Amino acid sequence: MEMNMWLWVVVLALAAAIIWLLLRQRRLKKDIYEYTDRLEQLLDDMLKEKPVPAETTGDDLLGKIQSRLKRLSDMYGHENLEISEEKERLKELVSDISHQARTPMTNIRLYIEKLEEECEDGQRMDVLQKMDGQVDKLDFLFQSMIKMSRLETGTIRIQKADAPVSETLADAISAVIPKAEKKQIDISVDYDDRLKVCHDRKWTAEAVYNLLDNAVKYTPEGGSIRITVKKGVTFVQITVSDTGKGIAVERQGAVFERFYREPEVHDEEGIGIGLYLARKIIQLQGGYMELQSEAGKGSAFTINLPAE
Protein backbone atom coordinates (compact mmCIF):
# COMPACT_ATOMS: atom_id res chain seq x y z
CA MET A 1 0.00 0.00 0.00
CA GLU A 2 2.79 2.38 0.95
CA MET A 3 4.62 1.38 -2.23
CA ASN A 4 1.62 2.35 -4.36
CA MET A 5 1.36 5.69 -2.62
CA TRP A 6 4.98 6.52 -3.37
CA LEU A 7 4.46 5.44 -6.95
CA TRP A 8 1.53 7.85 -7.26
CA VAL A 9 3.60 10.63 -5.76
CA VAL A 10 6.34 10.01 -8.33
CA VAL A 11 3.82 9.90 -11.17
CA LEU A 12 2.18 13.15 -10.05
CA ALA A 13 5.57 14.82 -9.67
CA LEU A 14 6.57 13.69 -13.16
CA ALA A 15 3.26 14.87 -14.55
CA ALA A 16 3.66 18.25 -12.85
CA ALA A 17 7.21 18.53 -14.19
CA ILE A 18 6.05 17.71 -17.71
CA ILE A 19 3.20 20.24 -17.50
CA TRP A 20 5.61 22.89 -16.19
CA LEU A 21 8.09 22.17 -18.99
CA LEU A 22 5.33 22.37 -21.61
CA LEU A 23 4.10 25.67 -20.20
CA ARG A 24 7.66 26.98 -20.03
CA GLN A 25 8.31 25.87 -23.61
CA ARG A 26 5.12 27.56 -24.75
CA ARG A 27 6.09 30.77 -22.94
CA LEU A 28 9.60 30.60 -24.33
CA LYS A 29 8.24 30.07 -27.83
CA LYS A 30 5.97 33.11 -27.43
CA ASP A 31 8.89 35.19 -26.13
CA ILE A 32 11.03 34.15 -29.10
CA TYR A 33 8.29 35.10 -31.57
CA GLU A 34 7.80 38.45 -29.86
CA TYR A 35 11.58 39.01 -29.73
CA THR A 36 12.09 38.18 -33.42
CA ASP A 37 9.10 40.31 -34.47
CA ARG A 38 10.43 43.28 -32.49
CA LEU A 39 13.96 42.80 -33.77
CA GLU A 40 12.67 42.57 -37.34
CA GLN A 41 10.69 45.80 -36.80
CA LEU A 42 13.77 47.60 -35.48
CA LEU A 43 15.86 46.46 -38.45
CA ASP A 44 13.11 47.52 -40.88
CA ASP A 45 13.02 50.96 -39.25
CA MET A 46 16.78 51.27 -39.69
CA LEU A 47 16.58 50.26 -43.36
CA LYS A 48 13.84 52.86 -43.90
CA GLU A 49 16.02 55.42 -42.08
CA LYS A 50 13.41 55.86 -39.37
CA PRO A 51 14.67 56.82 -35.90
CA VAL A 52 15.05 53.86 -33.58
CA PRO A 53 13.04 54.37 -30.35
CA ALA A 54 14.95 55.00 -27.16
CA GLU A 55 16.17 51.83 -25.52
CA THR A 56 13.95 50.10 -23.02
CA THR A 57 14.69 50.38 -19.32
CA GLY A 58 14.81 46.63 -19.01
CA ASP A 59 18.08 44.76 -18.78
CA ASP A 60 16.93 41.88 -20.95
CA LEU A 61 18.55 40.80 -24.22
CA LEU A 62 16.11 42.78 -26.39
CA GLY A 63 16.74 45.92 -24.37
CA LYS A 64 20.50 45.56 -24.79
CA ILE A 65 20.20 44.93 -28.53
CA GLN A 66 17.78 47.84 -28.95
CA SER A 67 20.20 50.09 -27.10
CA ARG A 68 23.04 49.12 -29.44
CA LEU A 69 20.85 49.45 -32.53
CA LYS A 70 19.85 52.96 -31.45
CA ARG A 71 23.48 54.00 -31.03
CA LEU A 72 24.26 52.48 -34.43
CA SER A 73 21.27 54.27 -35.99
CA ASP A 74 22.31 57.60 -34.45
CA MET A 75 25.86 57.14 -35.69
CA TYR A 76 24.76 56.39 -39.25
CA GLY A 77 22.25 59.22 -39.11
CA HIS A 78 25.03 61.64 -38.14
CA GLU A 79 27.27 60.31 -40.91
CA ASN A 80 24.46 60.62 -43.45
CA LEU A 81 23.92 64.22 -42.37
CA GLU A 82 27.62 64.94 -42.81
CA ILE A 83 27.59 63.31 -46.25
CA SER A 84 24.56 65.39 -47.23
CA GLU A 85 26.25 68.57 -46.04
CA GLU A 86 29.44 67.61 -47.87
CA LYS A 87 27.46 67.10 -51.08
CA GLU A 88 25.96 70.56 -50.68
CA ARG A 89 29.41 72.06 -50.13
CA LEU A 90 30.73 70.24 -53.18
CA LYS A 91 27.77 71.44 -55.23
CA GLU A 92 28.41 75.00 -54.09
CA LEU A 93 32.12 74.66 -54.82
CA VAL A 94 31.51 73.39 -58.36
CA SER A 95 29.09 76.27 -58.92
CA ASP A 96 31.69 78.76 -57.64
CA ILE A 97 34.41 77.31 -59.87
CA SER A 98 32.11 77.45 -62.89
CA HIS A 99 31.20 81.06 -62.15
CA GLN A 100 34.80 82.16 -61.59
CA ALA A 101 36.11 80.36 -64.69
CA ARG A 102 33.38 81.70 -66.99
CA THR A 103 34.81 85.22 -67.42
CA PRO A 104 38.37 84.29 -68.46
CA MET A 105 37.07 81.52 -70.70
CA THR A 106 34.70 83.96 -72.42
CA ASN A 107 37.52 86.46 -72.86
CA ILE A 108 39.79 83.82 -74.37
CA ARG A 109 37.09 82.91 -76.90
CA LEU A 110 36.72 86.59 -77.84
CA TYR A 111 40.48 86.96 -78.30
CA ILE A 112 40.56 83.84 -80.47
CA GLU A 113 37.84 85.33 -82.65
CA LYS A 114 39.91 88.50 -82.98
CA LEU A 115 42.95 86.45 -84.00
CA GLU A 116 40.88 84.73 -86.66
CA GLU A 117 40.03 88.12 -88.12
CA GLU A 118 42.51 89.96 -90.29
CA CYS A 119 44.51 92.29 -88.06
CA GLU A 120 47.95 93.86 -88.07
CA ASP A 121 50.93 92.26 -86.38
CA GLY A 122 50.90 94.80 -83.54
CA GLN A 123 47.26 94.08 -82.76
CA ARG A 124 47.88 90.35 -82.96
CA MET A 125 50.65 90.58 -80.33
CA ASP A 126 48.41 92.66 -78.06
CA VAL A 127 45.64 90.05 -78.32
CA LEU A 128 48.09 87.24 -77.54
CA GLN A 129 49.30 89.08 -74.42
CA LYS A 130 45.73 89.52 -73.22
CA MET A 131 45.05 85.83 -73.82
CA ASP A 132 48.15 84.97 -71.80
CA GLY A 133 46.81 87.09 -68.94
CA GLN A 134 43.49 85.25 -69.00
CA VAL A 135 45.28 81.89 -68.99
CA ASP A 136 47.28 83.06 -65.95
CA LYS A 137 43.99 83.91 -64.21
CA LEU A 138 42.65 80.42 -64.89
CA ASP A 139 45.86 78.82 -63.67
CA PHE A 140 45.77 80.94 -60.49
CA LEU A 141 42.13 79.99 -59.93
CA PHE A 142 42.73 76.25 -60.23
CA GLN A 143 45.92 76.35 -58.16
CA SER A 144 44.02 78.18 -55.41
CA MET A 145 41.16 75.69 -55.61
CA ILE A 146 43.63 72.80 -55.30
CA LYS A 147 45.21 74.36 -52.19
CA MET A 148 41.81 74.99 -50.63
CA SER A 149 40.55 71.48 -51.40
CA ARG A 150 43.68 69.82 -50.01
CA LEU A 151 43.49 71.85 -46.83
CA GLU A 152 39.77 71.23 -46.25
CA THR A 153 39.94 67.50 -46.93
CA GLY A 154 43.05 66.98 -44.82
CA THR A 155 45.14 65.76 -47.75
CA ILE A 156 47.77 68.23 -46.60
CA ARG A 157 48.54 68.01 -42.90
CA ILE A 158 49.65 71.04 -40.95
CA GLN A 159 53.11 70.26 -39.57
CA LYS A 160 53.98 72.60 -36.71
CA ALA A 161 57.48 73.07 -35.40
CA ASP A 162 59.42 75.74 -33.51
CA ALA A 163 60.83 78.13 -36.11
CA PRO A 164 61.83 81.82 -36.24
CA VAL A 165 59.01 84.11 -37.31
CA SER A 166 61.58 86.11 -39.28
CA GLU A 167 62.13 83.23 -41.71
CA THR A 168 58.40 82.84 -42.33
CA LEU A 169 58.04 86.59 -42.96
CA ALA A 170 61.04 86.56 -45.30
CA ASP A 171 59.43 83.86 -47.43
CA ALA A 172 56.18 85.82 -47.69
CA ILE A 173 57.74 89.25 -48.29
CA SER A 174 60.16 88.06 -50.98
CA ALA A 175 57.24 86.75 -53.04
CA VAL A 176 55.36 90.08 -52.97
CA ILE A 177 58.27 92.54 -53.38
CA PRO A 178 58.12 92.67 -57.24
CA LYS A 179 54.47 93.77 -57.17
CA ALA A 180 55.15 96.30 -54.40
CA GLU A 181 58.13 97.83 -56.25
CA LYS A 182 56.06 98.15 -59.40
CA LYS A 183 53.60 100.37 -57.49
CA GLN A 184 56.35 102.04 -55.44
CA ILE A 185 54.82 100.78 -52.21
CA ASP A 186 57.11 100.79 -49.19
CA ILE A 187 57.10 97.66 -46.99
CA SER A 188 58.48 97.99 -43.44
CA VAL A 189 58.85 95.27 -40.81
CA ASP A 190 59.02 95.54 -37.02
CA TYR A 191 59.85 92.26 -35.24
CA ASP A 192 62.27 90.49 -32.92
CA ASP A 193 64.48 88.25 -35.07
CA ARG A 194 65.00 85.95 -32.05
CA LEU A 195 61.28 85.25 -31.66
CA LYS A 196 60.24 81.68 -32.35
CA VAL A 197 56.76 80.18 -32.46
CA CYS A 198 55.43 76.67 -33.05
CA HIS A 199 53.83 76.88 -36.50
CA ASP A 200 53.83 75.44 -39.99
CA ARG A 201 56.34 77.68 -41.72
CA LYS A 202 55.30 76.91 -45.30
CA TRP A 203 51.55 77.37 -44.85
CA THR A 204 51.87 80.33 -42.47
CA ALA A 205 54.05 82.05 -45.08
CA GLU A 206 51.27 81.37 -47.58
CA ALA A 207 48.74 83.03 -45.25
CA VAL A 208 50.97 86.09 -44.69
CA TYR A 209 51.65 86.33 -48.42
CA ASN A 210 47.90 86.39 -49.13
CA LEU A 211 47.50 89.31 -46.71
CA LEU A 212 50.45 91.15 -48.28
CA ASP A 213 49.21 90.46 -51.80
CA ASN A 214 45.81 91.95 -50.93
CA ALA A 215 47.49 94.94 -49.28
CA VAL A 216 49.60 95.66 -52.38
CA LYS A 217 46.63 95.14 -54.66
CA TYR A 218 44.35 97.62 -52.89
CA THR A 219 46.93 100.20 -51.83
CA PRO A 220 47.46 103.06 -54.30
CA GLU A 221 50.86 103.86 -55.79
CA GLY A 222 53.26 105.44 -53.32
CA GLY A 223 51.44 103.94 -50.33
CA SER A 224 52.92 101.87 -47.53
CA ILE A 225 52.53 98.51 -45.81
CA ARG A 226 53.73 97.79 -42.28
CA ILE A 227 54.26 94.36 -40.74
CA THR A 228 54.50 94.15 -36.94
CA VAL A 229 55.05 91.10 -34.75
CA LYS A 230 54.18 91.04 -31.04
CA LYS A 231 54.38 88.20 -28.51
CA GLY A 232 51.60 88.07 -25.96
CA VAL A 233 50.92 85.68 -23.11
CA THR A 234 48.92 83.21 -25.19
CA PHE A 235 49.34 84.34 -28.81
CA VAL A 236 51.95 85.67 -31.20
CA GLN A 237 50.40 88.39 -33.37
CA ILE A 238 51.45 89.14 -36.95
CA THR A 239 49.73 92.29 -38.19
CA VAL A 240 49.72 93.52 -41.80
CA SER A 241 48.61 97.17 -42.01
CA ASP A 242 48.20 99.17 -45.21
CA THR A 243 47.23 102.65 -46.39
CA GLY A 244 44.77 101.27 -48.92
CA LYS A 245 41.10 101.88 -49.59
CA GLY A 246 39.89 100.24 -46.36
CA ILE A 247 36.75 98.17 -45.85
CA ALA A 248 33.37 99.45 -44.74
CA VAL A 249 32.21 98.09 -41.37
CA GLU A 250 29.12 96.41 -42.83
CA ARG A 251 31.30 94.42 -45.25
CA GLN A 252 34.01 93.27 -42.86
CA GLY A 253 32.16 90.10 -41.86
CA ALA A 254 32.05 88.91 -45.47
CA VAL A 255 35.66 89.44 -46.57
CA PHE A 256 36.77 86.00 -45.32
CA GLU A 257 34.08 84.21 -47.33
CA ARG A 258 35.13 82.15 -50.31
CA PHE A 259 35.10 84.15 -53.59
CA TYR A 260 33.87 87.31 -51.89
CA ARG A 261 34.95 90.53 -53.60
CA GLU A 262 33.80 94.03 -52.86
CA PRO A 263 31.73 95.62 -55.65
CA GLU A 264 34.19 98.42 -56.41
CA VAL A 265 37.19 96.07 -56.95
CA HIS A 266 35.74 93.66 -59.49
CA ASP A 267 37.99 95.09 -62.19
CA GLU A 268 41.09 94.38 -60.10
CA GLU A 269 43.12 91.20 -60.45
CA GLY A 270 42.03 88.40 -58.13
CA ILE A 271 39.24 85.92 -57.45
CA GLY A 272 38.44 86.54 -53.78
CA ILE A 273 39.99 83.45 -52.23
CA GLY A 274 43.17 84.75 -50.55
CA LEU A 275 41.62 85.81 -47.23
CA TYR A 276 39.53 82.63 -47.08
CA LEU A 277 42.66 80.50 -47.49
CA ALA A 278 44.62 82.59 -44.98
CA ARG A 279 42.00 82.19 -42.25
CA LYS A 280 41.67 78.46 -42.97
CA ILE A 281 45.43 77.98 -42.62
CA ILE A 282 45.55 79.84 -39.30
CA GLN A 283 42.48 78.05 -37.91
CA LEU A 284 44.08 74.67 -38.67
CA GLN A 285 46.95 75.73 -36.41
CA GLY A 286 44.66 76.60 -33.53
CA GLY A 287 44.78 80.34 -34.20
CA TYR A 288 42.41 82.99 -35.50
CA MET A 289 42.39 86.21 -37.53
CA GLU A 290 41.16 89.72 -36.79
CA LEU A 291 40.37 92.70 -38.98
CA GLN A 292 40.37 96.40 -38.15
CA SER A 293 39.50 98.73 -40.98
CA GLU A 294 37.73 101.91 -41.96
CA ALA A 295 36.67 102.90 -45.45
CA GLY A 296 39.26 105.23 -46.98
CA LYS A 297 41.75 104.77 -44.14
CA GLY A 298 43.39 101.43 -44.78
CA SER A 299 43.14 98.00 -43.15
CA ALA A 300 44.97 95.95 -40.53
CA PHE A 301 44.73 92.14 -40.64
CA THR A 302 46.12 90.31 -37.60
CA ILE A 303 47.14 86.66 -37.46
CA ASN A 304 47.02 85.19 -33.95
CA LEU A 305 49.11 82.02 -33.52
CA PRO A 306 49.24 80.11 -30.21
CA ALA A 307 52.38 81.18 -28.36
CA GLU A 308 52.97 77.71 -26.89
Side-chain angles (χ1 to χ4, degrees):
M1 185 73 177
E2 185 177 350
M3 186 67 175
N4 290 336
M5 186 176 65
W6 277 107
L7 183 60
W8 277 106
V9 170
V10 171
V11 170
L12 289 174
L14 288 173
I18 292 171
I19 293 172
W20 181 82
L21 288 173
L22 290 173
L23 291 174
R24 181 176 176 79
Q25 183 180 16
R26 183 178 178 182
R27 178 59 186 174
L28 182 60
K29 186 176 181 181
K30 182 180 179 182
D31 289 343
I32 290 173
Y33 282 144
E34 290 178 353
Y35 168 79
T36 55
D37 287 343
R38 181 59 184 151
L39 182 58
E40 185 178 5
Q41 182 63 48
L42 290 172
L43 293 174
D44 285 342
D45 287 345
M46 289 185 65
L47 290 173
K48 295 176 182 178
E49 297 185 357
K50 293 181 180 179
V52 175
E55 58 269 25
T56 60
T57 56
D59 196 31
D60 57 1
L61 180 59
L62 180 59
K64 293 178 180 179
I65 291 178
Q66 185 170 341
S67 174
R68 285 166 175 74
L69 286 177
K70 178 168 176 57
R71 290 200 293 270
L72 185 63
S73 176
D74 291 343
M75 181 181 68
Y76 278 116
H78 179 70
E79 289 182 355
N80 287 337
L81 180 61
E82 289 184 341
I83 291 172
S84 178
E85 291 175 349
E86 186 64 30
K87 286 181 178 178
E88 287 300 317
R89 287 195 293 268
L90 181 59
K91 182 179 178 182
E92 179 184 350
L93 181 58
V94 171
S95 176
D96 288 339
I97 294 173
S98 175
H99 176 74
Q100 293 295 326
R102 188 177 296 118
T103 299
M105 290 299 295
T106 300
N107 290 338
I108 288 173
R109 291 192 186 98
L110 290 173
Y111 295 144
I112 290 174
E113 290 177 4
K114 284 186 178 182
L115 285 176
E116 291 175 346
E117 298 173 356
E118 294 183 2
C119 59
E120 298 178 0
D121 291 342
Q123 292 176 321
R124 191 180 297 274
M125 182 59 65
D126 180 60
V127 170
L128 287 172
Q129 288 177 349
K130 290 180 178 178
M131 284 182 64
D132 186 59
Q134 296 300 316
V135 171
D136 287 342
K137 285 185 179 181
L138 281 175
D139 180 62
F140 178 75
L141 169 65
F142 291 123
Q143 289 298 325
S144 298
M145 297 304 299
I146 289 170
K147 290 177 184 176
M148 182 175 63
S149 175
R150 293 171 75 185
L151 280 169
E152 289 185 340
T153 58
T155 305
I156 292 179
R157 301 285 183 181
I158 294 293
Q159 298 179 345
K160 297 170 64 174
D162 281 331
V165 177
S166 58
E167 295 179 358
T168 303
L169 294 180
D171 292 340
I173 295 170
S174 62
V176 82
I177 280 179
K179 292 182 180 180
E181 290 181 342
K182 189 175 181 180
K183 295 181 69 175
Q184 297 180 338
I185 294 175
D186 177 64
I187 298 179
S188 60
V189 189
D190 180 11
Y191 66 96
D192 181 353
D193 58 5
R194 297 168 299 176
L195 178 61
K196 291 185 177 182
V197 64
C198 186
H199 68 299
D200 187 303
R201 178 179 165 183
K202 174 185 173 183
W203 284 105
T204 304
E206 174 84 17
V208 175
Y209 167 78
N210 287 343
L211 298 184
L212 289 171
D213 186 56
N214 263 21
V216 170
K217 192 180 302 177
Y218 302 124
T219 297
E221 292 189 8
S224 63
I225 297 172
R226 182 175 179 81
I227 305 169
T228 57
V229 181
K230 295 180 180 179
K231 186 179 188 304
V233 177
T234 55
F235 288 94
V236 170
Q237 295 182 322
I238 303 172
T239 301
V240 177
S241 306
D242 62 58
T243 57
K245 70 177 195 61
I247 303 168
V249 175
E250 63 270 16
R251 296 177 182 172
Q252 292 179 15
V255 296
F256 292 104
E257 294 177 2
R258 186 171 56 197
F259 296 121
Y260 174 80
R261 302 196 72 200
E262 295 194 84
E264 63 268 22
V265 301
H266 272 281
D267 292 334
E268 297 284 345
E269 177 187 354
I271 60 173
I273 202 173
L275 292 178
Y276 174 84
L277 274 175
R279 185 172 70 166
K280 185 71 176 177
I281 290 167
I282 301 307
Q283 286 177 337
L284 288 174
Q285 298 183 74
Y288 65 97
M289 289 185 60
E290 296 176 287
L291 166 62
Q292 290 183 336
S293 184
E294 185 177 345
K297 296 186 178 181
S299 303
F301 288 88
T302 300
I303 290 172
N304 293 273
L305 289 171
E308 296 181 357

